[in-house]
Amino acid sequence: MKNYIVDFPIMGDERGSLISLESLKNIPFEVKRVYYMYDLKTSLPRGFHAHKNLQQILVCVNGFCKVVLDDGIEKVEVELDSPDKGLLLENVIWREMHSFSDDCVLMVLASDYYDENDYLRDYEEFIEYVQTKKNQHNNSFFKHEKAIVETDQIGEGTTIWAFSHILSGAKIGENCNLNDFTFIENDVVVGNNVTVKSGVHLWDGITIEDNVFIGPSTVFTNDLRPRSKRYPAEFERTVIKKFASIGANVTILAGSTIGEYAMIGAGSVVTKDIPPRTQWYGNPAVFKGYVCECGKKLDDNLYCFSCKESHKDKISLLNNTGLEEQ
Ligand code: T46
């Protein structure tokens, strides 16, 4: 089962503690409803259902209770005993809340309004639902028998080749091709129609937008001052924008943004943000001109001889027209 405990940062001083919960920041969905339970009885457990779509976070803001989670394969029990701890209940997870303390106040943040049709209140119906969902999901993308795929967020038509490993939090779009020996951590988003050639590792903090090409053995980093066993509060965010291409064996320093349609030459080391529609290479990579959507370099008049098209208008709209070719 995925990591379901969310730790909320406590802001505190001599007056006491304060926790702030924000949609799409420390709560991974937009909150549409908040409800809470109190005057709960130790001997009267609650729940005994799952939701088809609803996502929720449970926070025991006072006292304590226990929650059993069941994804149809595995069951775990979690104790909620602190207001700085949230329990993420994703859809299609059977839950049973019990052992409430007398002073327990259980607050729930929900991704949608109350809808009885979203409930699966019968355990057998729940198991059947899990099985159907699993079959639908497994048939919608291809996974080589020697790949390990822990996430269930893989878009239709994506292919994942041998010896790849994708962790449970990763989100992969539709029609992607992830070649052999790809490793993808949790806090990674890959858009649609992305090609990742062999030997590429995508670490926490990396976003790859739609239609990006990543050449073989490209090296990403996510920490500018790495030390063994010491982790930054947050990893640097690296973004590869739509339609950008990264040549073979490129190294990209943490925190860089590579603009739309940009083209990075093989073996380069990218040390800074790369503007859209530009070509860069070398170590460190330097500006070498503008590129067409087809990938060819434009001439001095910003014309593509291959597509027989001028790009003057598109490029004059960018804020990077003063770049000097090196
Ligand atoms: C869940 C766990 C953690 C409403 O009318 N509006 C609401 O927003 C809610 C949450 C409930 N109701 C009605 C439905 C029932 O007639 O209130 C009654 C009690 O609800 P239920 O028996 O579902 O309560 P629990 O404690 O078993 O489950 C609740 C939530 O319903 C459920 O979504 O995940 O807490």
Side-chain angles (χ1 to χ4, degrees):
M1 218 180 284
K2 285 185 194 167
N3 183 18
Y4 33 77
I5 293 292
V6 187
D7 291 311
F8 303 126
I10 305 172
M11 292 170 275
D13 55 29
E14 62 285 356
R15 298 169 298 170
S17 304
L18 187 153
I19 289 175
S20 163
L21 305 180
E22 296 180 288
S23 287
L24 303 174
K25 287 193 175 170
N26 54 0
I27 302 297
F29 50 80
E30 199 179 325
V31 178
K32 288 209 178 141
R33 179 169 51 116
V34 177
Y35 59 92
Y36 38 90
M37 292 163 238
Y38 58 100
D39 284 344
L40 297 158
K41 306 286 176 287
T42 309
S43 57
L44 293 178
R46 305 181 66 114
F48 297 90
H49 54 249
H51 283 279
K52 293 176 193 159
N53 295 305
L54 192 71
Q55 288 180 281
Q56 303 193 100
I57 287 216
L58 274 59
V59 187
C60 199
V61 286
N62 199 52
F64 61 85
C65 69
K66 291 184 179 170
V67 186
V68 175
L69 310 180
D70 176 352
D71 63 4
I73 297 162
E74 197 190 341
K75 259 190 198 187
V76 288
E77 187 172 74
V78 176
E79 181 156 342
L80 288 179
D81 54 4
S82 170
D84 66 349
K85 206 156 76 172
L87 173 62
L88 176 63
L89 285 177
E90 300 231 288
N91 59 344
V92 206
I93 298 283
W94 188 264
R95 75 280 321 261
E96 298 169 9
M97 299 91 78
H98 67 97
S99 304
F100 305 103
S101 62
D102 290 342
D103 57 352
C104 175
V105 179
L106 188 57
M107 179 178 76
V108 185
L109 311 183
S111 65
D112 217 335
Y113 303 113
Y114 174 72
D115 175 9
E116 189 56 40
N117 293 324
D118 191 60
Y119 283 77
L120 295 161
R121 290 194 184 267
D122 176 83
Y123 190 74
E124 276 177 23
E125 191 196 343
F126 159 70
I127 293 294
E128 252 174 56
Y129 193 85
V130 169
Q131 212 43 59
T132 313
K133 279 263 157 202
K134 216 169 158 195
N135 291 342
Q136 281 170 353
H137 179 63
N138 287 348
N139 292 336
S140 71
F141 68 92
F142 170 79
K143 168 187 142 341
H144 189 280
E145 58 178 23
K146 292 208 159 56
I148 304 169
V149 177
E150 296 183 57
T151 180
D152 53 11
Q153 300 190 73
I154 308 259
E156 243 178 81
T158 284
T159 47
I160 301 161
W161 294 101
F163 313 112
S164 295
H165 186 176
I166 304 178
L167 300 190
S168 60
K171 296 190 179 90
I172 315 292
E174 296 174 4
N175 283 322
C176 294
N177 188 15
L178 310 180
N179 282 225
D180 289 23
F181 300 102
T182 302
F183 175 61
I184 302 187
E185 283 195 319
N186 287 296
D187 183 14
V188 176
V189 179
V190 175
N192 300 323
N193 306 314
V194 170
T195 299
V196 179
K197 300 302 276 184
S198 292
V200 176
H201 304 158
L202 300 176
W203 312 115
D204 284 332
I206 294 172
T207 299
I208 311 289
E209 293 191 352
D210 296 349
N211 300 291
V212 163
F213 172 90
I214 301 174
S217 302
T218 289
V219 175
F220 286 87
T221 61
N222 65 356
D223 187 348
L224 291 169
R225 289 164 209 83
R227 290 282 191 216
S228 180
K229 309 272 177 203
R230 283 173 64 176
Y231 305 100
E234 213 185 322
F235 288 110
E236 301 283 339
R237 316 294 307 180
T238 297
V239 183
I240 315 297
K241 305 287 258 179
K242 287 178 191 165
F243 292 97
S245 294
I246 317 292
N249 205 26
V250 167
T251 298
I252 298 172
L253 257 63
S256 312
T257 294
I258 297 196
E260 288 182 19
Y261 290 103
M263 177 72 75
I264 311 296
S268 302
V269 177
V270 174
T271 57
K272 55 185 174 189
D273 290 350
I274 301 295
R277 297 176 185 271
T278 55
Q279 185 194 64
W280 293 60
Y281 53 85
N283 177 5
V286 291
F287 176 65
K288 293 287 180 185
Y290 289 94
V291 279
C292 177
E293 281 147 32
C294 73
K296 293 246 165 70
K297 195 175 163 189
L298 301 177
D299 75 358
D300 293 345
N301 295 315
L302 303 175
Y303 184 80
C304 175
F305 278 100
S306 193
C307 301
K308 309 214 178 321
E309 198 193 330
S310 167
H311 287 254
K312 259 189 192 146
D313 292 348
K314 284 180 200 158
I315 292 191
S316 65
L317 289 174
L318 305 172
N319 283 330
N320 51 349
T321 40
L323 287 167
E324 295 258 328
E325 201 169 319
Q326 294 175 51

